[in-house]
Amino acid sequence: AQSVAQPEDQVNVAEGNPLTVKCTYSVSGNPYLFWYVQYPNRGLQFLLKYITGDNLVKGSYGFEAEFNKSQTSFHLKKPSALVSDSALYFCAVRDGYSSASKIIFGSGTRLSIRP
Amino acid sequence: ETGVTQTPRHLVMGMTNKKSLKCEQHLGHNAMYWYKQSAKKPLELMFVYSLEERVENNSVPSRFSPECPNSSHLFLHLHTLQPEDSALYLCASSQDVRIATNEKLFFGSGTQLSVL
């Protein structure tokens, strides 16, 4: 069975500092991994995905994520946080052999950037 | 804007009421989804439609009834709900649920439902 875990409910970072939002996963085959962001009173927006290839994936708004197969992790990172990055971040995963309807989302991590 | 519009934005209903949530996508996508978002819980997939045919029904109680009259519109009909059904209900669309790598989902802003 597929699963995804976001171990932190909330991450607090000062503006200008690097940030990391953690995600670990479990799938039976090759993982397809995603990050989505939800701003207040909005739906989720796609940030980036890993399907195959380079383990470091770059996405929207200066975010990147590193796929680590041995640790089954896909942590979201940004070198320098902005106050406008404050939002709810969701990690998602699916088995590469299943359809898009089998995407599993985590419970979300609230990122708070203080000025 | 994501191209996916949900109405109403907020809904308060009693346990004996009947109401409907509406979703419309202007992206030309073939697949549409209903998700339930509750605080500090994983996003919960409820229903998936591909070309107006239901392809996924994740053990959702019958008090939730989806309808997809065409590939641009999706409804969620609600009746005799329970207080624990209070949540944010999100609609999403994607180009085609069957294409293996094309899984970018476009979400609406959701309907915040409160059941009294």
Side-chain angles (χ1 to χ4, degrees), chain B residues 35-74:
Chain B
Y35 282 90
K36 177 182 179 183
Q37 183 180 3
S38 303
K40 297 187 178 181
K41 291 185 179 180
L43 219 59
E44 184 182 331
L45 179 63
M46 300 175 71
F47 302 104
V48 182
Y49 277 82
S50 176
L51 295 170
E52 301 131 54
E53 179 183 344
R54 192 188 309 180
V55 296
E56 201 77 34
N57 179 350
N58 286 349
S59 303
V60 178
S62 59
R63 56 185 183 269
F64 295 91
S65 175
E67 179 189 3
C68 188
N70 55 63
S71 59
S72 298
H73 293 86
L74 184 65

Side-chain angles (χ1 to χ4, degrees), chain A residues 79-90:
Chain A
S80 178
L82 300 172
V83 173
S84 58
D85 293 329
S86 299
L88 188 58
Y89 290 81
F90 288 91

Side-chain angles (χ1 to χ4, degrees), chain A residues 4 9 32 34 36 38 41-46 49 51 88 90 94 96 98-108, chain B residues 1-2 9 33 35 37 40-43 45 48 56 88 90 96-109:
Chain A
V4 59
D9 284 343
Y32 286 5
F34 314 87
Y36 283 79
Q38 185 179 32
N41 301 313
R42 305 293 293 275
L44 279 68
Q45 296 178 33
F46 173 84
K49 68 179 179 183
I51 304 299
L88 188 58
F90 288 91
R94 74 167 176 84
S98 54
S99 72
S101 64
K102 300 297 185 185
I103 291 178
I104 302 296
F105 284 86
S107 53
Chain B
E1 294 300 325
T2 63
R9 293 296 302 272
Y33 309 71
Y35 282 90
Q37 183 180 3
K40 297 187 178 181
K41 291 185 179 180
L43 219 59
L45 179 63
V48 182
E56 201 77 34
L88 181 67
L90 292 167
D96 189 327
V97 72
R98 298 165 299 174
I99 295 177
T101 60
N102 185 18
E103 54 285 316
K104 186 175 177 179
L105 296 171
F106 293 78
F107 285 84
S109 298

